[in-house]
Amino acid sequence: MAPRPLSPLVLALGGAAAVLGSVLFILWKTYFGSGRERRWDGGEAWWGAEPAGLPQWDEWDPEDEEDVEPALEELEQREVLVLGLDGSGKSTFLRVLAGKPPLEGHIPTWGFNSVRLPTRDFEVDLLEIGGSQNLRFYWKEFVNEVDVLVFMVDSADRLRLPWARQELHKLLDKDPDLPVVVVANKQVRAVGGWPRSAGLDPRCLGPGAPERGSGLDPWPAAQG
Ligand SMILES: Nc1nc2c(ncn2[C@@H]2O[C@H](COP(=O)(O)OP(=O)(O)OP(=O)(O)O)[C@@H](O)[C@H]2O)c(=O)[nH]1
Ligand SMILES: [Mg+2]
């Protein structure tokens, strides 16, 4: 039987997906510049900031603090990619970090969202790529470009936990050295708490995954 020609709808959808991917990639390159060396060091705090520590009582001098404050333009940059299935709470997470109130209802991200947070030593760029099925294809193109991956999981969405796990594994396969933080979001809504049987326990992430920093970091739910 002769192969059936592709319908115009399929061709149009394929073309649109290719254009969207190219646009995302160009925007990413424009935003973050060309490829970079990851500057992760296991001895550092999770995005490279110095581990917090209170100064000794007799050492503390407020004037010293002012002396060492680096100018904003001198700050190094760290890139954090925020991924997770659609509706897992990525945009909300970014909004809350930026000091904005969470939005009512789910407004899907069709491209990407970003937030820049100056810390004492670094400028941290957090970048969300939308989690809808057609955008997930492009996630893997970005993992090699960032310092840390934050993978957001909706703890209340038990039915899709295996999908979330599968997507996370694809990313881990793409970059085995990528430091990962798994955020179990919406825990208050997940009846019975975190469903360990669903397979997103860090011990289920695959060989070596927990040792390289993967884990569940309960996110204080924005809305419960
Ligand atoms: N109860 C509760 N709801 C939350 C929490 N975080 C996000 N939501 C809600 O979940 C829905 C989806 O949140 P978004 O932040 O838009 O999800 P997203 O991961 O950015 O989704 P996409 O952009 O489609 O990939 C919204 O209605 C949010 O208000 C949370 O911690 N607790
Ligand atoms: Mg979003």
Side-chain angles (χ1 to χ4, degrees), residues 86-92 105-106 109 128 131 185-186 189 222-224:
D86 47 304
S88 54
K90 303 177 296 297
S91 298
T92 308
H106 177 201
T109 303
E128 169 206 3
N185 200 23
K186 307 191 194 178
R189 295 182 63 188
Q223 296 172 312

Side-chain angles (χ1 to χ4, degrees), residues 16-208:
V19 169
L20 181 61
S22 312
V23 169
L24 272 175
F25 196 71
I26 290 165
L27 286 174
W28 170 277
K29 290 288 179 192
T30 311
Y31 194 75
F32 284 147
S34 54
R36 62 216 320 284
E37 290 249 321
R38 184 170 296 139
R39 292 147 301 182
W40 174 260
D41 172 351
E44 298 177 18
W46 75 280
W47 58 40
E50 274 183 26
L54 287 174
Q56 294 298 314
W57 173 256
D58 56 353
E59 288 174 7
W60 185 69
D61 180 350
E63 286 184 11
D64 286 351
E65 292 278 301
E66 281 168 19
D67 287 347
V68 294
E69 193 72 37
L72 203 58
E73 60 274 15
E74 290 171 12
L75 291 177
E76 276 195 57
Q77 287 189 311
R78 295 286 186 269
E79 274 85 52
V80 177
L81 187 59
V82 183
L83 299 178
L85 299 189
D86 47 304
S88 54
K90 303 177 296 297
S91 298
T92 308
F93 179 65
L94 262 59
R95 284 184 68 85
V96 171
L97 283 179
K100 296 180 186 165
L103 291 173
E104 290 291 326
H106 177 201
I107 300 170
T109 303
W110 292 114
F112 66 79
N113 270 324
S114 67
V115 167
R116 177 164 288 179
L117 298 177
T119 68
R120 187 173 166 279
D121 299 304
F122 301 109
E123 247 181 5
V124 181
D125 286 315
L126 291 109
L127 184 116
E128 169 206 3
I129 304 179
S132 58
Q133 210 160 4
N134 54 344
L135 289 174
R136 281 179 225 158
F137 177 79
Y138 300 105
W139 286 357
K140 62 181 186 312
E141 304 302 328
F142 298 92
V143 288
N144 296 109
E145 305 276 340
V146 296
D147 297 295
V148 175
L149 168 67
V150 171
F151 194 83
M152 188 75 64
V153 180
D154 180 345
S155 314
D157 190 1
R158 290 185 179 217
L159 278 180
R160 295 202 303 163
L161 280 175
W163 290 8
R165 180 174 184 269
Q166 197 178 39
E167 294 294 346
L168 176 58
H169 273 263
K170 282 190 210 163
L171 298 170
L172 300 183
D173 288 346
K174 174 79 182 175
D175 187 346
D177 298 323
L178 181 65
V180 180
V181 177
V182 179
V183 178
N185 200 23
K186 307 191 194 178
Q187 292 211 27
V188 178
R189 295 182 63 188
V191 180
W194 178 252
R196 288 192 177 272
S197 59
L200 262 162
D201 184 296
R203 288 165 297 184
C204 303
L205 292 178

